[in-house]
Amino acid sequence: MDYKAKITAKGYLFIMPYLVGMLIFYLIPYIISIAMSFTSGVGQKTYVGLKNYVSLFQSDSFLLASKNTLFFTFTAIPLLFVIALLLALYLNDKLQNIRIFRSVFILPLVLPTASVILFWQIIFKDKGLVNHALNILGIDSIRFFNSEYSMLIIILIFIWKYVGYSVVLFLSGLNSISSEFYENAQIDGASNWQCFKSITLPLLKPMSFLVLILSFVNSLRIFREVYLLSGAYPHENIYMLQHFMSNNMSNLNYQRLTTASFILSIIIVTIMIILYRYERKTDVV
Amino acid sequence: MRIKKILVLSIVLLLVLGFMGCAAENTAHEDYLEEKQSISVYLLFPDRLSRLFPIDFNRSFYSIYYKRRVWLQPTFFYDAKAMYDQILKEMYLGEGPDLIVINGTSSKYLNLNKLSQQDAFADMDILIENSETFDLNDYNSLAMDTGIINEKRIMIPMGYNVNSMIGLKECFQYHDIKIPEELTLTNYMDLIEEYYSKTSAPAWLGINEEYLLSQFIDIGEQIEKTDELKRLLDILQIEHNRKLNTYMIDFEHAEWPYNFINAHDYFYNKKLLFLGPVGQRERVHFRMFSMQYNTLENYWNRKVILFPQPIPVNEPTKAYVEYGFVINNNSKNKNEAFSFIEFVLSEIKQTTGSTIDFPVRKDSFETRKQEFEEGINVSYADSLGIGAYGIHPDFIPNEFVPKEIVKELTTYVESAEDFEYIGHYKFIYYNILQPSFEDYYEDFVTYDEMIDDINNKLKIYYNE
C-alpha cells in the first residue's frame, strides 16, 4: 500500500467510530422510517403506497402545525440573529476582557428545561407577575399561554434561551476581525455605519452562518418548552409539528409520524442546502 | 469416626437427591407450562383481577373451551404511565401482552378509538365465532355493544354501572330543602344552588364531574354552547373553589384514607347535601368510618337516600361501561386469551365474583338480584351495585338491609337504555378538556371563550 493510501486508510480508521454510530443511530433508522411511511398497521404492517402522504396533507391538524412551525422559525430566528448581533456589538468593547460574562451568557442553555419553564410560568401565568402588574394598572389579565399571545411568549423564551450563546459566537467572530481594517477605514473617513456594513458584516459572515444554522436546529427543539407549558394539546397558535408527531406516537400511528418527519427532514435539508450555497457564493476570501 | 463419615455422606446424599427431585418437579412443571397454555397480562399492583383466582394465586383458570387449565402470567407494575408506555412500545414492535385490561386508569393512557384505527386489537367477533361455548345472547347486548369501536368489536366489558349519590334526609330537613321525588339534572342544580344560597358551602363531594359533563359532549363532535352546560359549569366552579372553605381543606390536604373519612364526617354532620359516587376504596373507608362512629344504628337511622346520577330531562337513563378486556392483535394466543374472557364472563364468576359493577351476564344479574331480595347472601350486595351506596356488606345487618334502595338502583339499571364506554370521554377529558374547564373555574376566561378554546383543541385532536 502506498503512502497516500495508508494515510487515507488511517483517516478512515479514526473516523470509523463516528461513521458506525452515524450509520446505526441515524442513517439506518432514517431509511427504516422512510420505508415505514409507506405502510400501515401495528405489528404486521401492510404496504399502502402514498396513502399516508395524501392523508397527511388532507389533515387540518398537520397543516396547522406546519404553518405554526414555519411561522415560528421564520420569525424567531431573524429576531434572535438581530438581537444577538446588536448585543455582541455593544458588548464587544465593554466586555472584551471580562470572560466571566461569557459563562453567564451560556447559563440559560445549561439550566434544566423544567426549571426554566417554572420561571417563565411565575412571570407569565394567569396569576403571575406580569398579570399582577397589569391588574394594578387596571388592565385585565392576559392568558399568555393560551391565547393569541402564546406564540409571542414562545418566541421570547426561545430568544432568551439562545441569545446568550449566539452573542458568545458573535463576540468570538468580532474578536477575530483585525482592528487594522477599522483603523484604515477611519483614516479613509468611513462612518461607523459604513464600517459595520463593509467590514464587520462581511467578515462576520462565517460566524453568522454558524449562528443561523444552530438557531435553525434549536428552533425545532422548542417543543420541549411548549409541551411543558401547555401539554399535548396547546393553544392552536403554538401547536407545532412536534406536537402532531408526539400525539400520533401515543396512538401508535408511527406511520403518520414518520411521514410527517420525512417531510420535515426534506424541508430542513432544502433550507440547509440553500444556506450553504448562499454562504459559498458570498464567501469573502 | 467411621459412623460419623457414613452419617455425613448420607445427609449429603439426601440433600443432593432432594434438590434433584425439586429440579425434576420444576422441570415437570415447566414442561406443563407449554407456551400455548399461558397468556400474559400486565397489571398494576395491587389489582382486583387477582380476586378472580384461587387464594393460592396459582393464576390459572379452567378454560371451558380448551377443557384444561390455562395459566395466566401477570407482570406487575407499580406505575400506571410506565405500564401503558411499555404496552404501547411492545405493541408497536409486534409484541406486548396477550390480554390488556381496560379500566378507569387505562382510559387516560390508552386511546381505544385511535388505537383501533391502527388495528391494534383483535376482532372479538372472530374469536366469538371460533369459540364453541361463548354466546353473545347470554349477555346484555347494550353493554356488550359498547365494545364495538370503529365498526369492530374490540372490547368485551366485564360489567356496567350507573352513577349514583347518597343524600341524608336529616340534612335536607335541617336546611329546609324539599327532597325531590325524581332527580333530574335541572332540579339537581336547583338543589345545589339552594343549598349554596343557604349555607354558602358546596353541596357535594366526590361526584365525578366528568360523568356529568359527558352528557353534553358527543365523541367525535364539538361541544354546543347551552345554558344548561353553563349552569352546570358554574355549579362545578363552586366545587372547584371549595378550597376557600376551611373544612374542605381538611379533605383536600388530609392523606388517604382520612380524607374520605373526613368527607363522610361532613356528610353525616349535615355539612354536605350529597356524597358519591363511591366505589371500592370508599367502602373500606366506610368500614373505618363505621368503626369510628361505633354503631350502625347511628348510621342507618340517619335515613340515607339513594339518588341515581342526574340526567337531563327526556334523556334516556344512562349506564356506563368502564371495565373490560381487549386482546392484542399481535398475540399468538388470541384464542387462549379469549378463553380467559370466557372465564371472567362465565356464570359462576359473574354471579359470585366481587365487583362494583353489575354483571353483563343476564342470568347472573337475575340470580344475584333474586338472592339479594331473599336475603340469602348479603355480600352479594357488593356485586349488585350496593357499592354505589357506599356501605360495606360486612356491616349491614340483615334487618337493616336497604332492600328498597337496592331495588331502586336495580330498577334504574334495568331501565338504562343508553350504554356508553366512558373511557373515550375520559381520555378527552383528562388530556384536552380539563385544563380549559379549570381556566373557567378560575375566572380566566368567559364561558364562550372556554367553549371556543375546547372546540379548537377538539378539532385538532379529531384531525390528527
Side-chain angles (χ1 to χ4, degrees), chain A:
Chain A
M1 204 191 275
D2 67 344
Y3 178 73
K4 197 176 176 185
K6 268 190 191 170
I7 296 291
T8 311
K10 252 190 191 171
Y12 274 115
L13 209 63
F14 274 111
I15 64 168
M16 195 56 72
Y18 169 78
L19 277 179
V20 168
M22 184 76 171
L23 201 70
I24 293 172
F25 296 110
Y26 286 97
L27 205 59
I28 292 174
Y30 185 67
I31 293 167
I32 291 171
S33 69
I34 294 173
M36 206 185 289
S37 68
F38 296 103
T39 64
S40 76
V42 170
Q44 229 174 352
K45 296 168 188 51
T46 49
Y47 175 75
V48 293
L50 291 173
K51 187 181 164 196
N52 289 330
Y53 289 90
V54 170
S55 75
L56 193 71
F57 282 102
Q58 289 171 345
S59 161
D60 289 339
S61 300
F62 174 75
L63 295 173
L64 173 69
S66 305
K67 184 194 96 179
N68 288 338
T69 307
L70 286 171
F71 179 82
F72 173 79
T73 304
F74 288 105
T75 308
I77 293 174
L79 270 174
L80 174 70
F81 186 92
V82 167
I83 293 171
L85 181 59
L86 289 173
L87 267 175
L89 288 168
Y90 177 73
L91 295 170
N92 188 33
D93 293 328
K94 294 183 174 28
L95 296 181
Q96 231 166 11
N97 298 318
I98 307 174
R99 288 186 187 172
I100 194 167
F101 279 96
R102 295 182 186 215
S103 309
V104 166
F105 289 138
I106 303 292
L107 261 178
L109 275 179
V110 303
L111 288 172
T113 308
S115 310
V116 166
I117 292 305
L118 200 63
F119 163 73
W120 286 103
Q121 279 180 329
I122 290 169
I123 296 180
F124 285 109
K125 70 180 179 183
D126 297 326
K127 283 185 180 169
L129 285 173
V130 171
N131 275 325
H132 186 67
L134 288 174
N135 290 338
I136 290 171
L137 295 171
I139 303 169
D140 288 337
S141 297
I142 300 173
R143 297 171 68 213
F144 286 108
F145 296 130
N146 206 5
S147 66
E148 59 271 15
Y149 294 99
S150 46
M151 178 58 84
L152 185 70
I153 301 301
I154 298 301
I155 292 173
L156 187 62
I157 293 174
F158 173 76
I159 291 173
W160 174 84
K161 188 165 180 178
Y162 294 107
V163 73
Y165 181 63
S166 306
V167 164
V168 169
L169 289 174
F170 276 131
L171 280 174
S172 67
L174 286 169
N175 285 338
S176 69
I177 301 171
S178 172
S179 57
E180 286 177 6
F181 291 116
Y182 295 106
E183 286 165 7
N184 292 337
Q186 276 169 2
I187 289 167
D188 291 339
S191 66
N192 283 340
W193 169 247
Q194 283 172 320
C195 286
F196 174 75
K197 197 180 75 169
S198 305
I199 300 171
T200 311
L201 270 185
L203 290 176
L204 208 52
K205 205 155 271 180
M207 198 51 76
S208 303
F209 179 69
L210 179 64
V211 166
L212 266 177
I213 296 287
L214 288 173
S215 301
F216 183 65
V217 168
N218 290 328
S219 73
L220 299 169
R221 292 158 71 183
I222 200 66
F223 168 71
R224 279 182 307 184
E225 283 80 2
V226 181
Y227 186 84
L228 284 170
L229 275 173
S230 309
Y233 292 94
H235 190 267
E236 54 177 356
N237 279 357
I238 52 174
Y239 177 76
M240 307 286 204
L241 269 175
Q242 292 90 337
H243 286 100
F244 178 84
M245 292 192 278
S246 168
N247 293 338
N248 275 294
M249 189 172 72
S250 305
N251 298 327
L252 287 187
N253 201 343
Y254 279 65
Q255 287 85 359
R256 211 158 163 83
L257 189 164
T258 53
T259 310
S261 61
F262 178 57
I263 290 169
L264 182 62
S265 70
I266 290 175
I267 295 170
I268 293 170
V269 165
T270 308
I271 292 174
M272 290 296 188
I273 290 172
I274 293 169
L275 283 173
Y276 268 110
R277 285 207 172 154
Y278 176 74
E279 198 263 342
R280 266 192 212 157
K281 249 191 202 173
T282 56
D283 200 6
V284 174
V285 176

Side-chain angles (χ1 to χ4, degrees), chain B residues 5 23 27 61 81 108 174 202 229 236 269 280 289 336 348 377 394 416 426 452 454:
Chain B
K5 275 187 189 170
T27 307
F61 60 94
K81 191 169 188 316
K108 296 179 194 176
Y174 181 79
L229 172 61
L236 290 171
N269 281 305
Q280 194 173 356
F289 175 79
E336 285 83 349
I348 189 161
N377 192 332
D394 291 352
K426 275 194 167 180
D452 288 340
I454 285 174

